[in-house]
């Protein structure tokens, strides 16, 4: 089973950079990682029929503590997450992924996982909060288990 | 005494780049006031680069916009090169223009198909229309992917490119990559033509028809394009880029974080339709034929014509990029970069970003930025945009408020405003 890791987020916005930072660690370890950033449509340029996608991204939650790591799979990804659209040109990642799945049958059949880290701060800055930084090893472990 | 009713408001205009709102105040006498409440932040960038080394500042400017970062980068680099008295070689300039065209193709494709088209086919967003309009969404992504791939190859990455540097490029793609780029552009041309055909059939609302003064950069060498050293106005006036402050005045309005601009005391428009109005005689190839056959639809009097003008440019710039790549290949192998000496000086670059004239004025002293002024096309357009929303409101204020909101949003979307940068997170 071929797997592609999608690193999402904006590293200029503090904890929103967790997906990219985790993605770079995994890429250095030799895993197949695509840096999507804030543009989920980049996936359609690079997707070559992988059977499993693992998305790493920051999430916001009023219930979970900052730094909590969450693993969602399959329909849960779409049911539980409401993507927040802050740039209409780049649709929210979840809606954008749904759109791509409607255009590509292989993608529609792929197994989708999301490893989300609850953000503490989404604001201008390159650094992660302590809580989110501490979550990095757990994110890497979960992705490696799934891969 | 006349009654004034609760304002009709759109807090967040859907399907535009960033966040903005519209407020329409109606009384018994008709529309009292129309406000476009818009937040934009480029002025932070001017301030934070003062005193920075020139190359560091050039790394900061593209961060103004994640979507048009190539436009910001290339305009800033040209302003800096003008300031230090450096002119890039022709083949380097040609490849920079190809990089810029990647930005243009990506931006126009997404605007037309994902932001504008849903209005015309009766859906609130592209996800809802994909089942019935797979072909169109597929074309949008093919065009967008071609544009972003061109940016990747020439700019080093999709967003905030570092590869355009003082003196040329950090490194250049290989000949085989440029030949592949040409091939992909040729293969994509029919999709650009399909886009023009599709948009030529869509309604342009007559309610907002009226005189508009259009400003556009006068392209170099009499070929329709992006770079130029003069600004042309549709009133027949022309002035050097350096004199932009003498002709265009920025001013603060209470309801917007972004300043408004007037040209000779009046609102004006920039963008694809403004380029076509001022410089259609410099088009060539398939785009010239399409322009001649449809110029009645590319009217200077209607902001909705901006959508069709963008579709025309998808055709034009696809062909233009092929020719520019040929120009570069004719001089292959190309040295990516010339040495530059950082001298003191002042430079102004005016380029045509996807949404219209982008101005960068930079002063360099002792290798550092001593002055920076940046004006984005959306800031230029705000006053005119507000006027057109008002015209639409004056015709429809007695209609269902939802209908008025929808039409007001469509006017704003026709301008393709770029309001802020992006961050995206998911909410649990």
């Amino acid at each position: 089973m071929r797997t592609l890791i999608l690193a999402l987020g904006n590293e200029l916005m503090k904890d929103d950079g967790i997906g990219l930072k985790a993605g770079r660690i995994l890429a250095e370890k030799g895993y197949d990682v695509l840096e999507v950033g804030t543009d989920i449509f980049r996936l359609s340029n690079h997707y070559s029929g992988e059977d499993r996608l693992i998305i790493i991204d920051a999430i916001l939650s009023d219930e979970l503590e900052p730094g909590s790591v969450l693993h969602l799979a399959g329909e849960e990804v779409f049911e539980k997450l409401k993507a927040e659209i802050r740039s209409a040109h780049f649709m929210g990642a979840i809606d954008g992924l749904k759109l791509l799945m409607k255009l590509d049958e292989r993608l529609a059949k792929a197994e989708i996982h999301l490893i989300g880290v609850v953000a503490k701060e989404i604001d201008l800055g390159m650094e992660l909060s302590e809580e989110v930084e501490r979550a990095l090893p757990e994110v890497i472990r979960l992705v490696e288990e799934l891969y | 005494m006349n009654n004034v009713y609760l304002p009709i408001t759109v807090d967040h205009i859907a399907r535009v780049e960033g966040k903005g709102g519209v407020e329409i105040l109606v009384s018994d006498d008709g529309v009292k006031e129309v406000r476009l409440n818009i937040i934009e932040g480029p002025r932070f960038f001017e301030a934070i680069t003062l005193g920075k080394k020139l190359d560091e500042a050039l790394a900061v400017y593209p961060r103004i916009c994640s979507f048009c970062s190539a436009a910001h980068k290339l305009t800033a680099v040209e302003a800096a090169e003008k300031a230090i008295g450096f002119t890039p070689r022709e083949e380097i300039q040609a490849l920079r223009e190809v990089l810029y065209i990647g930005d243009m193709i990506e931006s126009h494709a997404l605007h037309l198909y994902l932001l504008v088209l849903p209005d015309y086919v009766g859906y609130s967003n592209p996800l809802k229309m994909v089942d019935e309009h797979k072909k169109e969404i597929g074309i949008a992504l093919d065009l967008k992917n071609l544009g972003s791939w061109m940016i990747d190859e020439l700019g080093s990455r999709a967003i905030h490119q570092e590869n355009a540097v003082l003196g040329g490029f950090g490194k250049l793609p290989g000949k085989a990559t440029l030949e592949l780029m040409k091939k992909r552009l040729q293969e994509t041309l029919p999709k650009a033509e399909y886009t023009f055909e599709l948009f030529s059939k869509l309604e342009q609302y007559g309610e907002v028809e009226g005189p508009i003064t259009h400003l556009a950069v006068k392209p170099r060498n009499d070929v329709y394009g992006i770079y130029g050293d003069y600004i042309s106005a549709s009133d027949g006036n022309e002035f050097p880029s350096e004199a932009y402050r003498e002709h265009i005045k920025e001013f603060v309005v209470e309801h917007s974080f972004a300043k408004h601009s007037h040209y000779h005391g009046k609102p004006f428009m920039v963008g694809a339709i403004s380029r076509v109005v001022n410089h259609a005689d410099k088009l060539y190839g398939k785009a010239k034929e399409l322009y001649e056959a449809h110029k009645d639809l590319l009217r200077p009097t209607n902001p909705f014509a901006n959508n069709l003008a963008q579709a025309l440019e998808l055709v034009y710039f696809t062909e233009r990029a092929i020719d520019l790549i040929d120009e570069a290949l004719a001089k292959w192998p190309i040295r990516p970069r010339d040495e530059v000496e950082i001298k003191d000086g002042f430079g102004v670059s005016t380029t045509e970003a996807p949404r219209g004239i982008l101005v960068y004025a930079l002063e360099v002293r002792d290798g550092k930025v001593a002055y920076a002024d940046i004006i984005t096309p959306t800031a230029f357009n705000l006053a005119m945009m507000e006027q057109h929303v008002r015209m639409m409101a004056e015709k429809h204020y007695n209609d269902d408020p939802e209908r008025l909101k929808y039409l007001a949003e469509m006017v704003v979307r026709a301008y393709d405003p770029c309001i802020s940068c992006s961050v995206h997170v998911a909410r649990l």
Side-chain angles (χ1 to χ4, degrees), chain B residues 78-87 340-347:
Chain B
E78 187 182 69
E81 287 177 346
K82 282 185 171 181
I84 63 173
F86 174 85
T87 306
V340 293
E341 191 190 339
I342 310 285
K343 291 179 280 192
D344 288 357
F346 176 73

Side-chain angles (χ1 to χ4, degrees), chain B residues 122-143:
Chain B
Y123 291 98
S124 59
N125 71 52
L127 182 59
K128 290 184 178 161
M129 69 182 252
V130 67
D131 285 330
E132 271 190 52
H133 298 276
K134 254 185 194 149
K135 179 179 177 180
E136 284 73 22
I137 298 291
I139 287 176
L141 291 186
D142 287 347
L143 286 162

Side-chain angles (χ1 to χ4, degrees), chain B residues 2-177:
Chain B
N2 288 325
N3 293 313
V4 176
Y5 301 104
L6 279 175
I8 297 163
T9 55
V10 178
D11 291 332
H12 183 184
I13 305 163
R15 282 179 282 125
V16 296
E17 181 70 20
K19 280 188 178 176
V22 179
E23 206 171 341
I24 301 167
L25 201 59
V26 177
S27 76
D28 286 338
D29 295 333
V31 176
K32 262 183 84 72
E33 202 160 339
V34 169
R35 297 188 202 112
L36 271 179
N37 303 320
I38 282 181
I39 300 164
E40 240 188 20
R43 276 135 201 95
F44 289 129
F45 285 82
E46 291 154 322
I48 62 174
T49 55
L50 290 183
K52 277 206 179 335
K53 279 173 62 187
L54 189 55
D55 55 348
E56 286 173 9
L58 292 175
V60 171
Y61 294 128
R63 266 79 181 172
I64 287 174
C65 177
S66 64
F67 195 62
C68 277
S69 51
H72 280 277
K73 180 77 173 186
L74 290 165
T75 311
V77 165
E78 187 182 69
E81 287 177 346
K82 282 185 171 181
I84 63 173
F86 174 85
T87 306
R89 276 172 283 128
E90 275 179 17
E91 57 273 30
I92 293 297
Q93 187 58 30
L95 289 174
R96 282 182 178 175
E97 202 156 338
V98 176
L99 168 57
Y100 212 130
I101 287 173
D103 201 334
M104 197 74 87
I105 292 174
E106 180 181 34
S107 180
H108 283 1
L110 287 180
H111 173 242
L112 291 174
Y113 281 105
L114 301 195
L115 308 189
V116 173
L117 195 58
D119 285 328
Y120 286 95
V121 293
Y123 291 98
S124 59
N125 71 52
L127 182 59
K128 290 184 178 161
M129 69 182 252
V130 67
D131 285 330
E132 271 190 52
H133 298 276
K134 254 185 194 149
K135 179 179 177 180
E136 284 73 22
I137 298 291
I139 287 176
L141 291 186
D142 287 347
L143 286 162
K144 178 246 178 278
N145 284 337
L146 172 64
S148 57
W149 177 70
M150 290 163 71
I151 297 171
D152 269 352
E153 291 298 332
L154 282 159
S156 75
R157 56 187 180 197
I159 302 175
H160 310 322
Q161 300 79 29
E162 295 298 341
N163 198 31
V165 295
L166 288 173
F169 285 93
K171 62 171 186 171
L172 283 173
K175 194 178 177 188
T177 301

Side-chain angles (χ1 to χ4, degrees), chain B residues 324-337:
Chain B
L324 288 163
I325 291 169
D326 275 339
E327 280 177 30
L329 287 174
K331 296 196 174 176
W332 207 262
I334 296 173
R335 196 170 66 255
R337 185 180 183 184

